[in-house]
């Protein structure tokens, strides 16, 4: 029981699971209201040095079971009240299964960069980057699953040859729950072997990769599609009835969009800025953009979810705070100082070998202004990527109808005053700060509810209000700072940043 309560109250409950790089998080949600009744969490282990990043997929299942059981217990709900479950997982990871349907080796995670040479070589095939954009919506980079599979073929051919099935992280967990080999368009679109225009695997790409299509899961129409009930083994492990509907599920970015109410049943062409270790910008749209700077993802509900990513965001700014001996909130606007905090290279703009650049220092420069300039450089880079995304979707960022749509600001940085005010000042847009902190798990819960009830998951999440929160009105855009930072980026170019 929860907090010493008595007999559980009968209600309809769904479970949303966020199986991320570091942990499994589960939420038990009241289907009618979207209220979070209970939560659970269990850690994952990531290993590897240099560019290697790997995890044992069996640990993901163990963590999911632990987290789901904890969420149901915390909710104080009867197991029979649970009607649906869905998993949203970290994208791109490669799980190679043997004939016994067990992992042949640890999974190669999204942030394993050893496959960068394979990605570059693949990008030159099939007609070059433009052809990849036309086919899959994205150009191969190290994070994409196709590059990881090619790395496995070249570096561990014995494992590639022994592979009987290839799964993404969320696919594996959905299959453990339901017994069905299923994925969805959203997560599939992060592989670079799924044709987003056709809604199917690309046979020519699979042939290039030497990948048997029979080794891949079936692509369900949406992430909310019911793919089955719980297997006997899964029901016993979770302590839930076999009647629980299992949704196809999706990738973590797609689930976050659902949780925010983005999609055909809610908001289209409304931008999101996520402030994490890296920064991302995305929007649900009916347009299928083709831009090499974007990941041309599909959304979980049948729309598109183009996404831009910058490598340097909260972690880079926190590093400047540490170097200066300041608290991360002890910052003021940068003034004439400009910082491009590209400490890990940069993906958008495409400057993989870049390092940080500081200019405009004086004897009188306030250290707090130097930290403020780091915030400005990171926020500028992310907002510049957002402008590129909007343009690729056929929208004019300067059009008042587009400019006045509020930014939904999420991620760890969205809870910081300086981050919020810097994005507000440089964007000139109103901001919405959603109150919910587990948007991926909540988006998965909406998919679970949709699988169990037949409703639209975006409509459900919108009714639940999971994407609502404090709204900050727009302030005048700081054009002077924007132009100063942009001028330094253009002037430095590849000469100083390459």
């Amino acid at each position: 029981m929860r907090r010493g309560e008595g007999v559980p109250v009968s209600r309809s409950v769904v479970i949303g699971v966020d199986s991320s790089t570091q942990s499994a998080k589960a939420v038990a949600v009241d289907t009618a209201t979207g209220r979070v009744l209970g939560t659970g969490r269990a850690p994952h282990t990531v290993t590897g040095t240099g560019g290697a990043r790997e995890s044992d997929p069996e640990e993901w299942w163990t963590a999911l079971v632990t987290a789901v059981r904890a969420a149901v217990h915390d909710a104080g709900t009867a197991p029979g009240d649970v009607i649906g479950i869905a998993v949203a997982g970290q994208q791109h990871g490669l799980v190679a299964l043997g004939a016994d349907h067990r992992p042949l080796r640890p999974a190669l995670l999204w942030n394993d960069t050893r496959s960068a040479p394979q990605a570059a070589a693949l990008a030159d095939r099939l007609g070059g980057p433009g052809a990849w954009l036309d086919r899959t919506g994205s150009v191969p980079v190290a994070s994409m699953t196709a590059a990881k599979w090619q790395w496995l073929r070249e570096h561990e051919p014995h494992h590639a040859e022994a592979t009987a099935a290839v799964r993404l992280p969320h696919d594996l967990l959905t299959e453990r729950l339901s017994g069905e080999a299923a994925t969805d368009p959203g997560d599939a679109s992060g592989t670079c072997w799924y044709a987003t225009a056709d809604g199917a695997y690309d046979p020519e790409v699979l042939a290039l990769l030497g990948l048997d299509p029979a080794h891949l899961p079936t692509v369900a129409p949406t992430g909310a599609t019911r793919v089955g009930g719980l297997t006997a083994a899964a029901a016993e492990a979770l302590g839930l009835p076999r009647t629980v509907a299992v949704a196809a599920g999706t990738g973590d970015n797609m689930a976050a969009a659902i949780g925010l109410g983005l999609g055909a049943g809610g908001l289209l062409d409304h931008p999101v800025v996520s402030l994490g270790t890296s920064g991302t910008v995305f929007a649900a749209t009916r347009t299928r953009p083709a831009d090499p700077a974007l990941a041309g993802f599909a959304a979980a509900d049948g729309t598109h979810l183009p996404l831009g990513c910058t490598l340097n965001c909260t972690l880079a700014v926190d590093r400047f705070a540490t170097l200066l001996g300041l608290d991360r909130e002890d910052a003021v606007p940068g003034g004439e100082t400009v910082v491009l905090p590209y400490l890990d290279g940069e993906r958008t703009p495409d400057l993989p070998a870049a390092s940080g650049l500081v200019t405009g220092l004086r004897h009188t420069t306030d250290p707090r202004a130097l930290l403020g300039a780091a915030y400005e450089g990171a926020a500028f880079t992310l907002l510049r990527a957002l402008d590129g995304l909007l343009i690729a979707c056929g929208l004019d960022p300067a059009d008042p109808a587009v400019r006045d749509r509020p930014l939904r600001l999420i991620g760890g940085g969205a809870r910081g005053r300086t981050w919020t005010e810097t994005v507000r000042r440089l964007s000139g847009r109103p901001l919405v700060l959603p109150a919910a902190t587990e948007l991926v798990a909540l988006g998965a819960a909406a998919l679970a509810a949709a699988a169990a009830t037949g409703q639209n998951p975006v409509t459900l999440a919108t009714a639940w209000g999971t994407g609502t929160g404090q709204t900050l009105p727009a302030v005048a855009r700081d054009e002077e700072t924007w132009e100063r930072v942009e001028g330094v980026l253009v002037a430095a170019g590849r000469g100083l940043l390459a």
Side-chain angles (χ1 to χ4, degrees):
M1 305 298 170
R2 188 176 187 183
R3 297 179 181 90
E5 294 174 358
V7 177
V9 177
S10 178
R11 54 167 70 94
S12 171
V13 176
V14 288
I15 306 293
V17 178
D18 173 9
S19 183
S20 70
T21 312
Q22 300 295 338
S23 66
K25 289 154 282 187
V27 293
V29 175
D30 185 302
T31 309
T33 66
R35 186 166 70 91
V36 175
L37 305 172
T39 60
R41 184 186 298 260
H44 296 159
T45 303
V46 178
T47 61
T49 58
R53 294 293 184 273
E54 300 181 346
S55 284
D56 178 4
E58 296 293 348
E59 189 179 54
W60 298 339
W61 173 249
T62 301
L64 179 148
V65 169
T66 300
V68 170
R69 279 187 167 273
V72 173
H73 181 269
D74 189 41
T77 192
D81 292 339
V82 178
I83 64 169
I85 187 170
V87 178
Q90 53 176 309
Q91 288 190 252
H92 309 305
L94 175 69
V95 183
L97 304 177
D100 61 356
H101 227 63
R102 296 294 174 182
L104 291 167
R105 67 177 315 284
L108 300 173
L109 303 184
W110 64 274
N111 53 350
D112 189 313
T113 59
R114 289 175 292 177
S115 56
Q118 286 73 32
L122 286 173
D124 288 336
R125 305 288 295 275
L126 298 177
W132 283 95
L133 284 174
D134 290 341
R135 290 171 176 270
T136 72
S138 302
V139 178
V141 292
S143 63
M144 297 292 185
T145 323
K148 298 181 188 306
W149 172 252
Q150 190 67 11
W151 181 92
L152 193 72
R153 294 179 72 198
E154 294 178 15
H155 289 267
E156 299 178 8
H158 58 294
H159 281 142
E161 291 166 7
T163 297
V166 171
R167 300 290 184 263
L168 297 168
H170 117 264
D171 302 344
L172 177 77
L173 295 172
T174 300
E175 190 169 3
R176 288 286 178 91
L177 290 168
S178 67
E180 298 294 328
T183 190
D184 87 300
D187 215 6
S189 68
T191 61
C192 264
W193 59 58
Y194 175 81
T196 53
D198 301 330
Y201 296 124
D202 188 308
E204 193 171 351
V205 173
L206 294 181
L208 172 65
L209 296 169
L211 186 55
D212 186 342
H215 291 172
L216 300 175
T218 300
V219 183
T222 74
T225 301
R226 186 186 189 278
V227 297
L230 292 176
T231 66
E236 182 179 2
L238 298 174
L240 297 175
R242 294 193 64 184
T243 53
V244 171
V246 180
T250 193
D252 51 7
N253 287 300
M254 295 77 200
I258 296 287
L260 288 165
L262 306 186
L267 298 171
L268 288 169
D269 299 316
H270 278 243
V272 178
V273 172
S274 178
L275 303 171
T277 299
S278 60
T280 58
V281 293
F282 58 88
T285 178
R286 293 195 185 277
T287 304
R288 181 181 179 271
D291 184 329
L294 302 174
F297 294 144
D301 73 334
T303 57
H304 297 281
L305 195 76
L307 181 145
C309 179
T310 66
L311 297 182
N312 300 275
C313 195
T314 62
L315 187 64
V317 172
D318 283 353
R319 181 58 181 157
F320 270 87
T322 299
L323 290 171
L324 293 166
L326 297 173
D327 181 89
R328 67 180 61 168
E329 294 292 348
D330 194 11
V332 297
E336 62 183 308
T337 306
V338 172
V339 173
L340 298 178
Y342 301 162
L343 305 186
D344 290 318
E346 191 45 80
R347 177 173 170 179
T348 309
D350 184 19
L351 296 166
S355 56
L357 177 67
V358 179
T359 185
L361 286 179
R362 304 286 185 185
H363 284 290
T364 56
T365 298
D366 185 337
R368 297 176 302 162
L370 183 56
L371 178 57
Y375 276 100
E376 291 168 352
F380 161 84
T381 304
L382 197 51
L383 292 169
R384 187 171 181 263
L386 175 61
D387 284 351
L389 183 147
L390 293 172
I391 291 168
C393 291
L395 302 170
D396 179 2
D399 180 349
V402 176
R403 185 192 61 216
D404 294 342
R405 292 172 188 164
L407 291 181
R408 280 157 177 80
L409 200 62
I410 63 173
R415 295 189 289 274
R417 174 187 55 81
T418 305
W419 269 114
T420 300
E421 289 306 314
T422 303
V423 170
R424 190 181 181 200
R425 177 165 53 91
L426 289 181
S427 70
R429 291 173 175 265
L431 302 184
V432 173
L433 308 178
T437 57
E438 297 294 351
L439 285 164
V440 173
L442 286 166
L447 293 174
T453 66
Q455 298 181 69
N456 182 291
V458 176
T459 303
L460 271 170
T462 301
W464 289 351
T466 54
T468 61
Q470 181 184 10
T471 298
L472 302 177
V475 297
R477 177 167 156 167
D478 186 349
E479 299 285 357
E480 183 179 351
T481 296
W482 182 279
E483 292 172 4
R484 183 168 53 247
V485 179
E486 186 170 49
V488 169
L489 176 61
V490 171
R494 294 189 175 273
L496 289 176
L497 294 170

